Amino acid sequence: SVGHYLPEFTGNGKEKITVRDLLLHVSGIRDEYKTTGTEEEIWKSICNTEVKNRPGKKYEYSCLSYVILGKLIERISGEPLCVFAKKNIYDLLCMKDTGFQPNEKLRARTAPTEKREGKWLKGNVNDWRNAAMGGGAGNAGLFSTGIDLAILAQVLLNHGIYTDSKGIQKRLFCEETFQKMVAPYKVPAGYRGLSWDKATGKPNLPPEFFPTAIGHGGHTGTSFLVDPERDLFVIVLTTRLHLNPKNPNIYPTAGEIARITAKMFQAADQPKNRID
């Protein structure tokens, strides 16, 4: 249970919520909580949030799930999420331009999103609830580049193995973890991966992808798809909110790009086209 790691996250029906429930977005928790005040006050508000559905009964994508998971990582590791992720993922994979709360040099290279209080958000998290928590919560605020994300995608294609510039292999996660990550899990709305979208007819991950394919999108206009069976990844980075916050969601466009790309590749039982 989540309460095993976060004892304060109990009451109001939350005792039976598991880590897997959060990863699959079937926790049943209300995605409503305080968005002003200190990070401690906001977290207290989250811990007092009620459950509106029995865990596992209904699928409902929830940013709050990732906020709670981020807090869980912090509690177990004893480090802020941004520090833990940098040390154990980005630095290990030489993803030099990836992280939360970018410094001044990286901020100058970031794409602006929306205006807030008359100023363009540039290098600041667009999600206003995440911003209220300092910009480093688990649901948003990660900045990266196409090249860095390609490194991460290649690691997923290699089932957790990264080969550095000197030819030395490093393992980010084991084969068992990879198989659990990409497996399809039945939820009331179809199938999900553990924290990943699956190819079940959703616009951002088309049915042309294999069942083990995983992906995720971002509200500001980003899409990250990996198909291990085809040895293929597709990354789409846009800033759709810029100039017009009412621009349509990027997912159908990203899904069409992915569908066209997938058709260019041979079936899994044919020789693979390697993307390095």
Side-chain angles (χ1 to χ4, degrees):
S1 69
V2 177
H4 174 77
Y5 301 98
L6 302 169
E8 69 271 31
F9 186 78
T10 55
N12 296 322
K14 297 190 292 294
E15 290 82 3
K16 293 184 179 181
I17 295 176
T18 66
V19 175
R20 179 174 290 193
D21 290 333
L22 293 178
L23 289 167
L24 295 176
H25 299 283
V26 294
S27 69
I29 194 170
R30 292 183 181 275
D31 199 352
E32 303 168 1
Y33 55 95
K34 182 180 177 66
T35 58
T36 58
T38 66
E39 183 175 358
E40 290 75 18
E41 290 171 338
I42 295 173
W43 175 241
K44 184 177 180 180
S45 175
I46 292 173
C47 291
N48 290 331
T49 302
E50 297 180 355
V51 170
K52 62 178 180 179
N53 295 301
R54 175 174 51 82
K57 182 179 180 180
K58 183 179 180 181
Y59 166 80
E60 186 175 1
Y61 184 91
S62 170
C63 284
L64 184 53
S65 293
Y66 290 121
V67 174
I68 298 167
L69 287 166
K71 183 64 71 171
L72 187 150
I73 290 172
E74 292 183 342
R75 187 66 55 84
I76 293 175
S77 68
E79 298 175 321
L81 177 63
C82 58
V83 174
F84 178 86
K86 183 178 186 301
K87 182 167 62 176
N88 293 281
I89 302 176
Y90 315 135
D91 286 352
L92 180 69
L93 302 182
C94 296
M95 296 170 64
K96 299 179 181 179
D97 293 329
T98 301
F100 297 90
Q101 304 158 322
N103 59 35
E104 186 175 348
K105 184 177 180 180
L106 290 175
R107 190 184 299 270
R109 295 168 49 201
T110 59
T113 53
E114 297 180 81
K115 273 189 175 180
R116 186 171 295 158
E117 297 179 350
K119 297 181 180 180
W120 288 108
L121 290 176
K122 185 174 170 62
N124 300 102
V125 58
N126 188 85
D127 183 277
W128 48 277
R129 294 182 293 188
N130 189 302
M133 298 186 72
N139 70 308
L142 183 68
F143 291 84
S144 189
T145 62
I147 292 175
D148 272 9
L149 291 177
I151 294 173
L152 180 61
Q154 191 64 60
V155 170
L156 289 166
L157 293 182
N158 291 336
H159 296 206
I161 296 175
Y162 169 68
T163 304
D164 66 18
S165 58
K166 297 180 181 179
I168 299 174
Q169 288 191 342
K170 306 174 184 178
R171 180 171 281 281
L172 184 62
F173 47 81
C174 68
E175 178 67 23
E176 182 182 5
T177 295
F178 173 78
Q179 294 299 335
K180 287 184 176 181
M181 188 189 303
V182 302
Y185 295 86
K186 188 74 172 71
V187 298
Y191 290 90
R192 289 279 304 183
L194 292 179
S195 81
W196 295 102
D197 280 338
K198 301 294 288 185
T200 55
K202 296 181 180 180
N204 60 318
L205 218 167
E208 284 81 4
F209 277 58
F210 280 87
T212 53
I214 54 176
H216 211 287
H219 176 71
T220 54
T222 57
S223 177
F224 178 87
L225 308 177
V226 176
D227 190 338
E229 296 296 321
R230 277 200 177 88
D231 206 28
L232 167 70
F233 62 82
V234 181
I235 297 167
V236 179
L237 302 178
T238 77
T239 178
R240 74 172 181 93
L241 301 176
H242 188 55
L243 300 184
N244 184 7
K246 295 183 179 180
N247 277 331
N249 198 301
I250 191 64
Y251 296 164
T253 302
E256 182 65 11
I257 293 172
R259 186 187 67 80
I260 294 171
T261 305
K263 281 193 169 186
M264 297 169 59
F265 283 74
Q266 299 172 332
D269 58 351
Q270 299 295 318
K272 293 183 177 181
N273 295 295
R274 194 77 189 171
I275 298 180
D276 293 316

